[in-house]
Amino acid sequence: MRPVIGITLNYTTTDTLGVNEGIGAKTQDWQLIASDYIRAVERAGGAPVILPITDSVDTIWELVKGLDGIVFTGGADIDPALYGEEPIFGLGTIDTLRDGFEFELLNRVIRETSIPVLGICRGFQLINIAFGGTLYQDMKTQRPEGMNHSLGIFPKYYPAHILKVKEGSWMHGIFDGEIGTNSLHHQAVKDLGKGLIPTLHAKDGLVEGFELEGERFLAAVQWHPEMMIQTDAKYLRFFEGFIEICKKS
């Protein structure tokens, strides 16, 4: 039986999505996810299940407790109030509804279950905040000496720069010593959360992957391996490795 993997959703109040595509009406809000996440989980051997943003986490909690794994996905910027900061110039769109829901969901998953957790992009940042870390709200403003990491000029699958992988880490078993990565973010981890071990670094020193110390499985990356599985099998191994962990949980 395939392990059941929950996948979180984006939220938007932009009604043009439905109006322009002929699938909705004006003033509708939407929850949606890129198919890349679903394909990655399915092709790695999992059964993907969408986790909607509801009025209360309690509404879906029985479903969540029955999951074999959960993926916190990418999306909009995270409210800096969640890590004790005021907004600065360069901060992007904030989805406070998604922020509040996912922050509570993640914290309950960590406190009340042993479900393996995988974070991608925004999910990477959300997990860092949940463990007491902080973010660069906008790297161009706050880290101008670093590399350009907002490289949407390339195709989604293109390895725009190289990451070094920490020897002995779970990710080292997947990627060996280094891995090419796409790069689609303007926010990033500034101070790493308590108990999180950095396992991927860009050449400018930026942390782009971490794992949780101890027995509980939690790993996250700043980039998007799910976008790269169709061009190189080693990116699918990232999800296959996660699914293997979920089978044992």
Side-chain angles (χ1 to χ4, degrees):
M1 182 175 177
R2 287 172 175 255
V4 180
I5 310 299
I7 302 174
T8 62
L9 291 172
N10 284 290
Y11 174 78
T12 180
T13 57
T14 304
D15 61 6
T16 52
L17 172 70
V19 173
N20 291 349
E21 295 299 320
I23 57 174
K26 290 183 178 180
T27 72
Q28 280 191 304
D29 54 350
W30 292 84
Q31 297 189 41
L32 66 161
I33 194 66
S35 294
D36 301 279
Y37 296 103
I38 296 168
R39 276 192 294 265
V41 168
E42 182 183 14
R43 293 180 185 181
V49 173
I50 300 303
L51 300 179
I53 299 167
T54 52
D55 290 340
S56 170
V57 171
D58 287 336
T59 303
I60 63 167
W61 187 242
E62 290 303 314
L63 168 63
V64 171
K65 287 194 300 181
L67 295 173
D68 298 300
I70 185 169
V71 180
F72 286 86
T73 60
D77 288 359
I78 297 175
D79 184 356
L82 289 173
Y83 47 96
E85 293 187 7
E86 298 286 338
I88 69 165
F89 290 111
L91 181 68
T93 302
I94 301 294
D95 290 333
T96 56
L97 183 67
R98 184 182 182 190
D99 284 344
F101 180 85
E102 284 194 358
F103 199 68
E104 181 183 354
L105 175 62
L106 174 60
N107 276 291
R108 287 189 64 175
V109 166
I110 292 167
R111 291 194 315 265
E112 301 178 31
T113 81
S114 59
I115 298 169
V117 174
L118 193 67
I120 295 175
C121 194
R122 170 196 160 92
F124 169 87
Q125 297 165 5
L126 184 79
I127 293 168
N128 186 58
I129 295 168
F131 282 86
T134 64
L135 303 181
Y136 292 108
Q137 294 185 41
D138 179 66
M139 285 189 292
K140 185 176 180 180
T141 302
Q142 295 180 290
R143 203 174 184 268
E145 73 282 2
M147 297 162 47
N148 179 8
H149 289 267
S150 186
L151 297 172
I153 53 176
F154 293 105
K156 68 176 185 177
Y157 54 80
Y158 186 76
H161 68 81
I162 300 297
L163 300 176
K164 293 294 182 181
V165 189
K166 180 180 175 62
E167 190 171 349
S169 66
W170 174 75
M171 292 187 199
H172 191 268
I174 303 293
F175 296 131
D176 294 325
E178 66 179 31
I179 185 68
T181 172
N182 52 19
S183 195
L184 302 167
H185 59 104
H186 81 107
Q187 292 197 311
V189 164
K190 181 168 60 176
D191 301 305
L192 198 61
K194 185 177 180 180
L196 301 177
I197 302 169
T199 53
L200 298 176
H201 285 92
K203 288 184 178 179
D204 63 357
L206 193 73
V207 175
E208 297 223 24
F210 57 65
E211 298 167 26
L212 180 64
E213 64 182 5
E215 295 301 314
R216 195 235 173 82
F217 183 85
L218 181 152
V221 294
Q222 176 61 78
W223 45 291
H224 287 275
E226 80 283 356
M227 296 183 182
M228 306 176 80
I229 65 170
Q230 291 172 285
T231 56
D232 195 323
K234 65 175 171 283
Y235 298 100
L236 184 59
R237 291 203 298 270
F238 178 75
F239 294 95
E240 290 173 335
F242 176 62
I243 295 300
E244 285 302 311
I245 294 289
C246 294
K247 287 179 180 178
K248 300 172 185 177
S249 65

